[in-house]
């Protein structure tokens, strides 16, 4: 049976291209024939709407986090080959409080996802987290094999990098997820017109050479527009530099983590 690799894309700072990366990396992996499940764990549900999927109350990751419903029934087909979605809904915001009242509160997502992995249907799972290190994000990290950090090419973004990376050590020490590893840092919103973007990328490459991905995601208007049409960048503008970048990132991810294709 093929194994499933779980990636959490997280950053406690908003507006860094996290959801854009989750949606387009998942779509790119699917395009590369890697059966992929995208999990929208953000109550804003931007990953859900970004694929043009309607939110449906009661059919999301929310009830299964609370031990209700069958998770296999919650998975939605996106209409794209090899790409599946576990949607979010606004009520998921309440889970931040409700999860804290449960036993093994950090392991609820991991336990809920377990039945999905038994069949080996998915080779990759990509989880989009809220822009905060709250209960939902911590559940995501507890369920993941690898943390992928979406990091905007600005100096202020660097300030929070140490904090998100230290969470991995804390989860190890607490015995919550001793297998979790930092899978890599994805530099986003790179502006070719500025020295600042190049300087930030160079600083990360100098200090964390083994963790930064070679692919840098450019800032493009088309990448920003695609979610409003419910499309990945590959559907909206397949020749856009953003589409090329996410394809290259997917190839790096496949190679680095030895993901198996269908």
């Amino acid at each position: 049976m093929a194994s499933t690799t779980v990636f959490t894309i997280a950053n406690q700072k908003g507006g860094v291209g996290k959801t854009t990366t989750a949606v387009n990396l998942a779509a790119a992996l699917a395009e590369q024939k890697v059966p992929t499940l995208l999990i929208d764990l953000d109550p804003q549900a931007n990953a859900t709407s970004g694929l043009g999927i309607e939110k449906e109350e009661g059919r999301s990751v929310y009830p299964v986090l609370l031990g209700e419903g069958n998770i296999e029934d919650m998975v939605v087909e996106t209409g794209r080959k090899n790409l599946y979605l576990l949607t979010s809904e606004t009520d998921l915001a309440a889970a931040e409080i409700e999860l804290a009242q449960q036993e093994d509160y950090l392991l609820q997502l991991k336990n809920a996802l377990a039945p999905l992995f038994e069949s080996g249907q998915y080779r990759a799972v990509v989880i989009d987290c809220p822009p905060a290190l709250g209960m939902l994000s911590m559940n995501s990290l507890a369920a993941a094999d690898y943390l992928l950090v979406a990091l905007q090419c600005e100096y202020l973004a660097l300030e929070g990098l140490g904090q998100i990376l230290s969470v991995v050590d804390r989860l190890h020490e607490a015995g919550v997820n001793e297998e979790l590893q930092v899978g890599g840092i994805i530099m986003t919103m790179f502006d070719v017109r500025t020295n600042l973007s190049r300087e930030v990328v160079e600083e990360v490459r100098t200090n964390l050479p083994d963790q930064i991905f070679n692919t840098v995601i450019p800032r493009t208007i088309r990448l920003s527009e695609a979610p409003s049409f419910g499309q990945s960048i590959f559907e909206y503008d397949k020749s856009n530099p953003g589409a090329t970048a996410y394809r290259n990132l997917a190839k790096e991810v496949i190679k680095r983590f030895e993901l198996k294709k269908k």
Side-chain angles (χ1 to χ4, degrees):
M1 183 184 297
S3 61
T4 303
T5 305
V6 182
F7 302 98
T8 283
I9 299 182
N11 194 319
Q12 71 274 26
K13 187 176 184 296
V16 299
K18 177 179 55 58
T19 298
T20 298
T21 294
V23 169
N24 289 296
L25 174 58
L29 289 172
E31 186 183 71
Q32 292 291 319
K33 299 182 180 179
V34 177
T36 302
L37 173 66
L38 174 63
I39 299 177
D40 190 349
L41 205 62
D42 188 342
Q44 297 179 83
N46 290 333
T48 299
S49 59
L51 285 176
I53 306 297
E54 292 290 332
K55 290 179 285 186
E56 186 178 337
E57 185 177 348
R59 187 179 184 183
S60 74
V61 69
Y62 176 52
V64 296
L65 272 175
L66 303 180
E68 303 168 4
N70 184 343
I71 191 169
E72 292 164 319
D73 295 336
M74 303 296 179
V75 176
V76 175
E77 293 190 5
T78 66
R80 299 148 175 100
K81 193 172 184 180
N82 297 318
L83 183 59
Y84 305 85
L85 175 68
L86 191 53
T87 65
S88 178
E89 59 176 308
T90 307
D91 287 349
L92 184 60
E96 290 284 356
I97 298 172
E98 293 168 326
L99 282 171
Q101 300 170 356
Q102 299 193 36
E103 188 177 354
D104 293 331
Y105 56 89
L106 290 180
L107 298 176
Q108 293 304 305
L109 180 63
K110 182 176 183 177
N111 294 337
L113 292 177
L116 288 180
F117 303 154
E118 291 175 0
S119 66
Q121 179 180 357
Y122 311 108
R123 307 289 170 82
V125 173
V126 177
I127 307 176
D128 182 37
C129 293
L133 293 176
M135 199 63 66
L136 290 169
S137 293
M138 295 303 287
N139 258 266
S140 176
L141 288 165
D145 298 303
Y146 298 101
L147 163 64
L148 302 181
V149 182
L151 189 69
Q152 188 178 3
C153 293
E154 293 186 359
Y155 273 114
L156 286 178
L158 290 174
E159 293 181 357
L161 179 59
Q163 182 182 354
I164 182 72
L165 294 180
S166 70
V167 171
V168 175
D169 293 329
R170 295 207 299 272
L171 289 174
H172 289 171
E173 292 165 2
V176 174
N177 186 356
E178 296 176 359
E179 305 302 318
L180 178 65
Q181 299 179 47
V182 177
I185 298 168
I186 303 165
M187 304 303 299
T188 63
M189 299 184 174
F190 182 85
D191 191 336
V192 296
R193 301 168 299 178
T194 69
N195 289 329
L196 176 61
S197 284
R198 287 190 288 272
E199 289 168 1
V200 172
V201 171
E202 192 56 39
E203 182 165 337
V204 177
R205 282 202 171 123
T206 299
N207 292 297
L208 298 165
D210 296 329
Q211 293 178 337
I212 188 172
F213 284 96
N214 292 324
T215 302
V216 174
I217 309 301
R219 184 193 294 272
T220 78
I221 293 173
R222 304 292 275 178
L223 264 178
S224 302
E225 290 175 344
S228 63
F229 291 89
Q231 296 180 340
S232 72
I233 187 61
F234 310 110
E235 299 157 307
Y236 187 62
D237 187 352
K238 64 182 180 181
S239 61
N240 183 265
T244 301
Y246 277 113
R247 282 196 184 97
N248 290 337
L249 177 62
K251 291 174 183 176
E252 271 197 82
V253 168
I254 290 168
K255 183 177 180 180
R256 181 177 293 194
F257 304 106
E258 299 180 345
L259 300 184
K260 302 298 182 183
K261 300 185 180 183
K262 195 169 182 179

